[in-house]
Structures are given as C-alpha cells and as structure tokens.
C-alpha cells in the first residue's frame, strides 16, 4: 500500500482492467440520431457545423442509463435569443419523450468564439439553459477521444490544448470548486458528489503527473492506490457498474460515507495542490458553481 504522502499512482499498464462498458446502447444510439436530426432542423440558421461527444461516451466508459451524454455543438455564428428559446424547447421535448434525455448535456459554441477557453457558451444541462465555458479539460478530451456525431473533426475547428493549459485548468478546478465544496456537508450525502469528487481527484492526479486522460473506470483503480476509503470506492463501483444496480442505501451509511469522502478529499486535494502547484493557495470559502 502506498504511503499517504505519495500521490503518484502506478502506471496504467499495471492496473486491473477497468469495468467493461455496456454493449447494448440501442436507446442511446436512437436518442443521438433523433437529437442530431432535430438539431439540424432547428439550426438551419445558424448552421450546425459539427456535433461531438466527449466524456464517457467518447472515452469508452459509457454506461447506458447511468452516464451523462456530454455533447458539443459548433455553429457558424452565435445563436440569437429566439434561436436559444427554440433550442430549449427541443431539449424539453426530448426530455418529455426520451427516457435518457435528462442526461443529455450540450454546449452550443460559435465557430468564431471557440478559441477562447474562458468564454461562456449557451449550454443545456440538468434540464435548463445556462452558460458555461468549454474548459481545457473538455477540449483535451475532444482532441484525444472525441466522437464525431456530425460534421467536422475537432482538430479542424478546435485549437489544441497545451499541457500547461491542461494542468492549470485541473488545479483551478480542484482549488476553486472541489476544495470549497467540502465546506458544504449536506452535498456529500448525495451520490453524485461522492462519485465525481473522488473520481475527479483520481483523474486529476494522473493528468497532472503525465498529461494523460483516463476514464472513470480506470480512476477507480487509482483511488485504491491513493488510499481512498475502500468501502467508499466499492460503493461507487457497485452503483456505477454492477448489474443490476444496488438498492438505495440507508441514511446511516450515507452519513458515514459523506464523512469518509470529505476527510479523504480534504487531505488529498491539499496534497495534490502542494505537489503539483507550487505556490498554490487553497481557497476554502468560495462556493462552487460547477466542474468537470
């Protein structure tokens, strides 16, 4: 077992094979086909240039009904307010008729605005329209394993991401979103916070070490190497990969799991920021708004 002071995971080649993605994705394929067709109809003006998938769907770790569908649409110009309204209606209609549509997230990026990773773009996520940037982490995913659903390849429209840009984005996410989020105990009673918090930490560790992006399944093995609480890691694995999925847990376990996750992440994030971000100061009072 690695000492707690060593945040470096073993090479990927030495790890156990991660959970296999589900092979029956018929409903996902049908939803993406329908979304792409209706999106082209809605975006005759502005014109749809490309539609890409990243995240689990692009990286080969997709689990139908459990994983999000993370998409990026590139248009030839920015959407006007009326066009944004119609896009919202498209997503609402899909959500009311397709069982997987609640997990479909899509950012709409104008081609002449795609170069700036700080710029926020119209995004449908968690059943509402909002604005958020396409971060260097997402951009590197698109270049590394982005799946083209329509139009041009990411390399044709999306500027490359340097290792320095990627590392900075990862460190900022840990420092300004995940570390402050630990000051909100109630959040950590929810599966999504526990899952993403620990998996983001493991994936960040590998990325900061060598610039490599890994899947959530691979991240489970990294968590074991980082001395994450074994019972929390087992809980995440079961809920994300077991078939059938386990039944909801009792409140006593949720409270214990929250304490274990927050304690581990507090020390692990601080250690990671110290190791990979010389001079980085940890902010503990900023409320988090979102992260990868």
């Amino acid at each position: 077992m690695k000492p707690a002071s060593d945040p470096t995971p073993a090479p990927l080649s030495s790890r156990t094979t991660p959970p296999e993605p589900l092979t029956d994705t018929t409903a996902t394929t049908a939803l993406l086909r329908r979304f792409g067709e209706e999106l082209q109809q809605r975006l005759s003006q502005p014109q749809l240039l490309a539609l890409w998938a990243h995240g689990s769907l692009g990286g080969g770790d997709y689990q139908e009904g459990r994983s999000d569908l993370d998409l990026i649409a590139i248009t030839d110009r920015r959407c006007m307010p009326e066009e944004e309204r119609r896009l919202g209606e498209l997503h609402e209609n899909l959500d009311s008729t397709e069982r997987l549509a609640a997990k479909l997230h899509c950012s709409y990026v104008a081609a002449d605005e795609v170069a700036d990773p700080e710029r926020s773009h119209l995004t449908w996520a968690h059943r509402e329209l909002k604005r958020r940037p396409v971060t260097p982490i997402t951009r590197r995913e698109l270049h590394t394993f982005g799946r083209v659903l329509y139009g041009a390849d990411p390399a044709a429209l999306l500027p490359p991401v340097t290792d320095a840009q990627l590392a900075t984005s990862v460190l900022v996410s840990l420092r300004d979103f995940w570390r402050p989020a630990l000051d909100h105990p109630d959040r950590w009673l929810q599966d999504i916070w526990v899952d993403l918090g620990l998996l983001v930490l493991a994936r960040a560790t590998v990325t900061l070490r060598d610039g490599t992006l890994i899947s959530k399944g691979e991240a489970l093995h990294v968590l074991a190497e980082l001395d994450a609480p074994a019972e929390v890691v087992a809980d995440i694995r079961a809920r994300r990969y077991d078939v059938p999925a386990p039944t909801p847990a009792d409140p006593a376990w949720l409270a214990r799991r929250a304490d274990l996750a927050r304690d581990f992440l507090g020390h692990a994030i601080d250690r990671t920021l110290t190791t990979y971000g010389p001079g980085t100061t940890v902010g503990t009072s900023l409320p988090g708004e979102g992260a990868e």
Side-chain angles (χ1 to χ4, degrees):
M1 181 175 293
K2 286 179 174 288
S5 60
D6 183 359
T8 306
L12 283 173
S13 60
S14 70
R15 298 188 188 126
T16 306
T17 303
E20 290 292 328
L22 299 182
T23 56
D24 183 6
T25 56
T26 303
T28 300
T29 301
L31 172 60
L32 291 175
R33 182 182 298 113
R34 177 182 171 186
F35 177 65
E37 292 172 351
E38 295 191 15
L39 191 58
Q40 290 178 64
Q41 295 171 8
R42 299 272 181 146
L43 290 180
S44 57
Q45 291 295 329
Q47 183 180 358
L48 180 66
L49 302 180
L51 181 63
W52 306 321
H54 62 101
S56 298
L57 188 62
D61 192 37
Y62 179 72
Q63 304 285 313
E64 186 168 275
R66 302 184 189 185
S67 301
D68 288 334
L69 291 163
D70 297 311
L71 309 179
I72 303 290
I74 306 295
T75 59
D76 66 346
R77 63 164 173 79
R78 180 185 287 199
C79 293
M80 297 295 103
E82 176 59 24
E83 294 158 348
E84 293 184 359
R85 185 188 65 78
R86 293 202 303 268
L87 286 174
E89 290 177 347
L90 167 59
H91 284 283
E92 289 173 349
N93 184 52
L94 285 174
D95 195 8
S96 67
T97 57
E98 298 278 354
R99 68 177 179 87
L100 298 178
K103 293 184 173 293
L104 191 153
H105 305 157
C106 187
S107 292
Y108 296 89
V109 183
D112 62 352
E113 298 177 348
V114 74
D116 183 3
E118 300 297 324
R119 182 185 287 271
S120 292
H121 307 281
L122 180 72
T123 301
W124 177 269
H126 306 294
R127 294 176 162 168
E128 64 178 348
L129 284 173
K130 56 187 71 179
R131 294 189 181 277
R132 67 185 186 190
V134 179
T135 68
I137 300 169
T138 294
R139 291 164 183 261
R140 177 62 72 87
E141 285 188 358
L142 287 166
H143 278 291
T144 304
F145 50 70
R147 177 175 171 182
V148 178
L149 304 178
Y150 173 83
D153 186 88
L157 299 174
L158 195 66
V161 178
T162 68
D163 287 347
Q165 288 174 317
L166 181 63
T168 297
S169 182
V170 169
L171 288 168
V172 167
S173 174
L174 291 176
R175 184 194 66 197
D176 293 348
F177 179 81
W178 288 106
R179 190 58 175 86
L182 298 176
D183 293 337
H184 302 270
D186 288 350
R187 296 179 182 177
W188 298 89
L189 297 172
Q190 303 172 52
D191 293 346
I192 188 66
W193 282 91
V194 172
D195 291 8
L196 292 185
L198 270 71
L199 294 174
V200 163
L201 183 279
R203 298 173 81 187
T205 300
V206 174
T207 297
L208 291 167
R209 185 197 67 192
D210 57 20
T212 300
L213 300 178
I214 62 172
S215 70
K216 292 183 176 70
E218 290 170 319
L220 284 170
H221 302 295
V222 178
L223 282 172
E225 296 156 9
L226 295 177
D227 289 336
E231 56 194 307
V232 178
V233 176
D235 174 73
I236 296 171
R237 179 185 294 276
R239 286 184 291 97
R240 299 186 74 89
Y241 296 104
D242 279 5
V243 179
T247 58
D250 67 90
W253 161 242
L254 295 181
R256 171 174 165 76
R257 185 185 68 179
D259 290 341
L260 289 169
R262 291 175 62 235
D263 182 65
F264 165 72
L265 285 173
H267 293 293
I269 291 173
D270 289 348
R271 185 172 64 241
T272 301
L273 292 172
T274 300
T275 301
Y276 294 103
T280 300
T281 57
V282 176
T284 59
S285 60
L286 297 176
E289 290 292 335
E292 299 292 325

